[in-house]
Amino acid sequence: MKFFLLKILYISIFFAAEYVVILFINVQILPASLQKLHYARFRGDHLYTKLSEADTAKKVDVLVLGASHAYRGFDPRIFKKNGINIFVLGSSSQTPIQTEYLVNKYIDKFKPKLVLYDVDYNNFETDGLESAESLFSAANPLDWQLLVMAIKLNSLDGYNTFTYSFLKALANRGAKEPRIFESDEYISNGFVQRRESKSKYIGRYFNRRDININKTQFQTFISICQKLARRGVKTLLIQSPTSPGYYRSLKNITTIDRMFSLVQTAKYYNFNDTTIFKNELFYDQNHLNQQGVELFDSILIKQLKNDGEFDLLIPEN
Amino acid sequence: MTFNSIQFVLFFFVFFFTYWFVFNRRLKLQNLFVLLGSYLFYAWWDWHFLFLLITSSAVNFILGIYVDKTRNERKRQLFLWVGVLQALGCLFYFKYFNFFIASFADVLTRLNFNVNIHTVNILLPIGISFYTFKTLSYLFDIKRRKIEPTRDWVVFFSYVAFFPSLISGPIDRPDLLIPQLKKKRVFSYVTAVDGLRQILWGLFKKIVIADNCAKITDHIFNSYWSYPASTLLIGAFYYTVQLYADFSGYSDMAIGLAHLLGFNITKNFNYPFFAQNIADYWRRWHISLTSWVTDYVFTPLSITLRHLGKAGLVIAILLNMIIVGIWHGANWTFIIYGFLNGLYFIPLILMRTINNKKSTEKEEKKPVSSKSLNIVITFILMMLTNIIFRLENVTKAFHYYLKLFSFSLFTIPVMQFKTEALITLICIAIMFFVEWCHQEKEHGLQIGYIKLPILRFGIYSGLIYILFSFSSTEIHQFIYFHF
């Protein structure tokens, strides 16, 4: 038995070393699509820069949470013009599991009075791996909560990305934004602007489908809303516009709308109006172009002002 | 807590050390520890059904003693029937109730009766098909005086709940596992190392082959109507490999884990893709189930029907295979799957090549080309039959077959995930090659015969490299967990 255990120990050390070598070799030689880690893949969220900014940020009026709809749809410059200071804590495919982590970490720093939570149903359907990997790559330092997240996801990609990011950070070489799209530009306070391309989105056909909400994600989402309510932070749930064809392909969107409307601690707004948000206002089926963002943000601000949702932001004399 | 999760690795790490270092001196305590560990493992899945597992064990433990000690043959038969009814009753309620209700309602509707029957949302207790068959074989074997019942409840309860084989088999027979639970286990270095090799091989099959295949097959089977027949054929191929790699991978891990604890459990697969014909295939596929059904269903049935000659044998085999099919779940697809497999036996019965020593010897003497042709034909037959096993209902399977046997079979396949499919194919080729070379061995990675340590370590390192570089991103649950 002693011999067996010793041998296991030696082999484990050998394989652990081999694993590290494999990780680094794969990042160097394999194309990104074949790598079993997302560290080197292109990402649009600029999360490292965003989190670095968040670490040094001060109090804001409004905190925006969510995935790409959030960081590509809520332009802090437009809000600023309307006298509202926002920070967008959105990340790629952010699911409630990652939102919960970010809320726990940054809520005391930002002390927002209002939270705009972009509830893109796409991110309620997944297990959250993509978003977790984005966090593992960008968070500096990696903490225990992220390790627990990796274990709960139990995916090789997740473990690899976590380990690789950890080792990079140990070697002090992780302190930079992983690969980003050249067509994107990071705007201070968490927004990512897509530079205008010559070809505009012209729409395409989508198979009709049902949205299947992941139970764990929805439970986590409810718990976030409750947590914010307990802290006295008002939460508005926002369904940002998607292209008309894409939106119409969702069979059970009414049920999903009802589900979000029934959340007791938050009010729900769906801004999908296919007569206003036409294909030319998008750069793909899911994301508004800058012209679309300007229109959406102005409609959103007007609507929320009319409903008195921003009243709590006016300082009391 | 699947075998390929960090939670299980931590669980087993603690279990292994406590098992060998704390409880190794007292057998009773060690068995109790096996039992508690197994219950914890089961409760991790769903603690609600732990009560059912304990009750089922308790009922069968008591009945076993009564079946043995009662002298009156009619009473013995009665006790046996109580056990059978309890086991099959549970199985029927949890697994088949909704199916029969829905089928009954369907028949009545077709006969123009207006029915309004509601099915109940019943959750399937995980592993129920496996542990129910274990308890049944225990009672049957006592009734046949093949074994004596154990008076040690910890031993029996541990036999039923032994965690490496609790969720997805192998379905261990009492005469194999109970004696091992009754005597002190001695740690064997050779067995433990071989267990680790088998776990590594199982992991490779599960997370590299099966999970990667799942990504491809899920996509093809979920939207088969939009693909040409050539793609559907590729889908059927990958699914057949997935099914094997998934289930045999699980079995390899289960056997390897048992080895680490000093147990020897039933071999469940014997390289079925190298089978020469369908009978040979079923002797190699899910061995613990097929041998169970052969012993307790087919043999008694064929004896009863022997006066009918070949027709009796055909009926017995058809019924046998339908039971194998329906064991997988309450769906017409499984019944048809079993029936089709039964049909494939008929030519073998007519040609008297089934279980015939002479014909087996004849097969052995055949040239390699002829053997290879047989292997390919058997594989294709199973590949086509597995389509109905995979799809949710008969209508979908019918449409899949209809589309598969069309002219688009000769077109260039349309594929998503082409690169993944190619890498998976290379890994499948590696698996087939390794298993072909080790057909005489217990598992594909039984490479203890390689004397050069550096070569052995090279193979392990290569596998580790593949595991970390080409495993599937998504972790899929083991297919047989659903059964």
Side-chain angles (χ1 to χ4, degrees), chain A residues 41-77:
Chain A
R41 287 193 192 168
F42 284 105
R43 264 196 302 274
D45 56 9
H46 293 244
L47 194 59
Y48 177 77
T49 314
K50 193 176 297 180
L51 294 184
S52 305
E53 205 181 336
D55 286 334
T56 55
K58 288 177 186 153
K59 201 169 171 284
V60 292
D61 296 327
V62 178
L63 182 66
V64 183
L65 301 169
S68 56
H69 282 190
Y71 66 78
R72 290 187 188 279
F74 296 77
D75 188 339
R77 294 168 299 188

Side-chain angles (χ1 to χ4, degrees), chain B residues 62-80:
Chain B
I62 295 163
L63 283 171
I65 293 169
Y66 276 100
V67 170
D68 181 65
K69 80 172 182 186
T70 311
R71 296 277 162 244
N72 183 326
E73 199 51 38
R74 283 182 68 183
K75 273 190 178 170
R76 292 186 75 220
Q77 194 72 29
L78 181 73
F79 287 130
L80 176 72

Side-chain angles (χ1 to χ4, degrees), chain A residues 1 3-5 7-8 11 14-15 18-19 22 26 30 34 36 129 151 154-157 159-160, chain B residues 4-6 16-17 20-21 187 189 192 196 260 419 423 457 460-461 465 467-471 473 475:
Chain A
M1 176 64 103
F3 180 60
F4 174 76
L5 292 176
K7 212 163 176 183
I8 291 292
I11 290 173
F14 175 79
F15 286 152
E18 187 192 350
Y19 169 59
I22 289 168
N26 280 2
L30 286 181
L34 287 182
K36 293 292 170 190
L129 177 65
I151 292 171
N154 193 32
S155 158
L156 185 71
D157 279 33
Y159 292 129
N160 286 350
Chain B
N4 53 336
S5 67
I6 292 284
F16 180 85
F17 278 92
W20 284 116
F21 290 106
F187 182 82
Y189 172 81
L196 284 176
L260 285 172
T419 320
I423 290 173
F457 276 92
Y460 302 146
S461 296
Y465 176 77
L467 278 174
F468 282 119
S469 302
F470 301 111
S471 297
T473 308
I475 291 185

Side-chain angles (χ1 to χ4, degrees), chain B residues 296-403:
Chain B
Y296 302 114
V297 181
F298 174 72
T299 308
L301 203 61
S302 55
I303 292 169
T304 314
L305 299 172
R306 74 183 147 194
H307 62 282
L308 296 173
K310 278 184 183 172
L313 196 57
V314 168
I315 293 168
I317 280 193
L318 280 175
L319 281 173
N320 193 49
M321 292 314 292
I322 288 172
I323 288 171
V324 169
I326 204 166
W327 175 90
H328 289 92
N331 196 328
W332 283 104
T333 53
F334 294 129
I335 296 172
I336 295 173
Y337 169 79
F339 181 72
L340 283 174
N341 273 290
L343 285 183
Y344 303 152
F345 276 85
I346 295 175
L348 302 176
I349 295 168
L350 297 177
M351 290 188 297
R352 291 171 180 270
T353 52
I354 189 168
N355 285 338
N356 185 326
K357 210 176 175 183
K358 269 186 189 171
S359 65
T360 315
E361 283 166 8
K362 225 168 126 186
E363 290 286 328
E364 289 297 319
K365 285 175 190 165
K366 274 184 179 175
V368 178
S369 59
S370 171
K371 275 186 185 175
S372 307
L373 185 69
N374 286 345
I375 289 171
V376 172
I377 291 170
T378 311
F379 182 86
I380 291 173
L381 201 60
M382 282 320 296
M383 184 177 88
L384 295 175
T385 317
N386 283 337
I387 292 170
I388 198 161
F389 188 87
R390 167 66 177 76
L391 285 159
E392 295 84 24
N393 57 52
V394 180
T395 316
K396 280 187 179 178
F398 178 73
H399 287 137
Y400 196 103
Y401 284 120
L402 214 59
K403 189 133 200 223

Side-chain angles (χ1 to χ4, degrees), chain B residues 3-23:
Chain B
F3 290 165
N4 53 336
S5 67
I6 292 284
Q7 288 96 321
F8 183 78
V9 173
L10 294 174
F11 162 79
F12 192 76
F13 186 80
V14 174
F15 188 89
F16 180 85
F17 278 92
T18 321
Y19 177 86
W20 284 116
F21 290 106
V22 180
F23 296 115

